[in-house]
């Protein structure tokens, strides 16, 4: 049988609402139809499948938690998580596009923007008419974004922006970028930089072995004139971008489970069918150990994500709680992908199966939105009160 069957060992479906199930199942069948058949070719050719944008908007993946009066889907955080899980079951790169659009572009406009900015940008971003990017990382500042060098100056009726961002998802085709830059006093603010502004260019980053179906690029600002109405006035300082990252990291903690579920399910089905020494390889203890450990780790990650979703819905999920789930669940998915690949033997390296693509994608997921190391140090700082990375 070819059909994907999602592992739900602890019957978490029982605690989902009918709305959660509806959102999840709609996303799952859309992924089967719109992503699975085309994704290998796009990953092999390193092209972003632009044709999925309309479908992502339709399943509510652009701004699931943004209220409906701004074009969002008005869903809770468990639905948001389930959407990310389903999309990443298809591909981490497509999930990255949805995460950036929702948590890193729509969320800051919604939370820190003016009414005029919200009315202008949010409905267009929700429908996919506009695509967004989030520019925080710079060539010299990754884990330490507070050191950023991109700056803007007040020129009376506008701001003048200079600097560069690197490793920016969606950059090559984004219509608008939420860019974090320092004012003359060194204070960080968010600016909405729009395609077509003079001096703003977005060169694509080539030769990636990971997230090949996602377009990554740079943002260059060479004396870009930014109208004053394009500054996000609601929040400034490093906590403004970090707060957006909390929302995206939360989604990633669910998304990674999707990639792991796909790898596990593929490996389980393969192990039951592949015959060696006159038996299905699933009959050998070593393969059972791999599969049993995988489903155990997936189940633990599902419980972590679900409880985190409940806390997020109540406004009780701290940044440190989110770090723990992002770190654990992405590392889990990477481990599951590596073990699953071995179960498929040589077939595991083929694009006919999704596993090697997931595995390579997850190498980015374990690094972006806070590296595996940095999230551990966030937990360390939270429990000891002593930050070891500053
Ligand atoms: P560095 O910060 O140089 O870290 C290198 C290594 O040193 C890591 O292992 C790290 O854990 C370790 N390290 C660093 N500091 C410490 C410390 N204090 N203690 C112990 N170890 C430490 N950024 C955006 O702004 N927007 C995007 O859309 C975006 N998309 C991305 C897409 C892809 C495909 C990739 C790969 C990256 C993307 N990023 C994006 C950038 C990403 O967030 C950064 O790569 C990440 O924050 C790490 O920064 P760095 O690569 O500069 O690594």
């Amino acid at each position: 049988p070819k059909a994907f069957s999602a592992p739900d060992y602890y019957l978490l479906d029982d605690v989902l609402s009918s709305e959660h199930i509806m959102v999840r199942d709609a996303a799952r069948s859309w992924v089967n139809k719109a992503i699975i058949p085309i994704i290998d070719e796009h990953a092999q050719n390193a092209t972003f499948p632009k044709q999925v944008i309309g479908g992502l908007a339709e399943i509510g993946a652009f701004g699931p938690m943004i209220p409906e009066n701004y074009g969002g889907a008005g869903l809770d955080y468990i639905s948001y998580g389930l959407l990310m899980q389903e999309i990443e079951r298809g591909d981490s790169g497509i999930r990255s596009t949805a995460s950036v659009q929702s948590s890193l572009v729509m969320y800051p406009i919604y939370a820190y923007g003016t009414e005029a900015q919200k009315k202008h940008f949010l409905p267009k971003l929700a429908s996919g008419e506009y695509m967004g990017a989030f520019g925080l990382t710079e060539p010299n500042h990754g884990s330490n974004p507070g050191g950023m060098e991109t700056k803007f100056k007040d020129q009376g009726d506008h701001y003048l922006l200079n600097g560069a961002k690197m490793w920016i998802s969606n950059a090559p085709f984004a219509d608008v970028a939420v860019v974090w830059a320092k004012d003359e006093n060194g204070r960080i603010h968010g600016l909405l930089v729009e395609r077509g502004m003079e001096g703003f260019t977005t060169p694509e980053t080539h030769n990636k072995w990971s997230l090949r179906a996602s377009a990554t690029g740079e943002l260059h600002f060479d004396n870009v004139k930014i109208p004053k109405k394009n500054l996000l006035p609601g929040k400034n300082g490093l906590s403004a971008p970090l707060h957006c990252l909390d929302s995206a990291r939360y989604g990633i903690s669910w998304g990674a489970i999707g990639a792991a579920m796909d790898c596990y399910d593929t490996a389980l089905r393969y192990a039951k069918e592949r015959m060696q020494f006159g038996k299905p390889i699933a009959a050998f203890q070593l393969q059972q150990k791999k599969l049993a450990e995988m489903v155990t780790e997936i189940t633990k990650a599902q419980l972590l994500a679900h409880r985190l979703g409940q806390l997020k819905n109540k406004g009780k999920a701290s940044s440190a709680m989110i770090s723990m789930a992002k770190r654990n669940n992405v590392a889990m998915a990477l481990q599951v992908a590596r073990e699953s690949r071995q179960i498929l033997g040589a077939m595991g390296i083929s694009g006919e199966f999704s596993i090697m693509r997931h595995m390579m994608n997850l190498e980015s997921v374990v690094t972006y939105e806070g590296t595996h190391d940095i999230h551990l140090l966030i937990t360390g700082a939270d429990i000891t009160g002593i930050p070891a990375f500053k």
Side-chain angles (χ1 to χ4, degrees), residues 100 104 134-139 141-144 166-169 208 210-211 216 364 367-374 377 388-390:
V100 168
L104 302 181
F134 176 86
L136 181 65
T137 305
E138 299 187 353
H141 303 279
S143 298
N144 175 27
M166 195 180 182
W167 295 114
I168 308 304
S169 302
K208 292 178 296 165
S210 175
L211 292 192
T216 313
S364 286
T367 289
Y368 73 20
E369 298 271 357
T371 68
H372 189 68
D373 295 331
I374 294 292
L377 296 175
F389 56 99
K390 288 188 179 156

Side-chain angles (χ1 to χ4, degrees), residues 274-289:
R274 173 71 174 168
M275 304 290 289
Q276 289 295 290
F277 301 96
K279 290 181 190 165
I281 58 171
F284 299 116
Q285 288 182 0
L286 285 175
Q287 306 312 317
Q288 289 191 4
K289 176 173 188 286

Side-chain angles (χ1 to χ4, degrees), residues 222-268:
D222 180 11
N223 284 320
V224 185
K225 276 189 184 174
I226 310 286
K228 287 207 155 165
K229 67 176 170 52
N230 281 31
L231 179 114
L232 296 174
K235 196 172 167 85
N236 55 48
L238 188 59
S239 66
L242 293 187
H243 207 64
C244 306
L245 292 175
D246 269 356
S247 174
R249 289 166 178 173
Y250 166 76
I252 293 170
S253 73
W254 283 84
I257 298 172
M261 293 196 317
D262 192 41
C263 292
Y264 164 76
D265 178 62
T266 304
L268 178 63

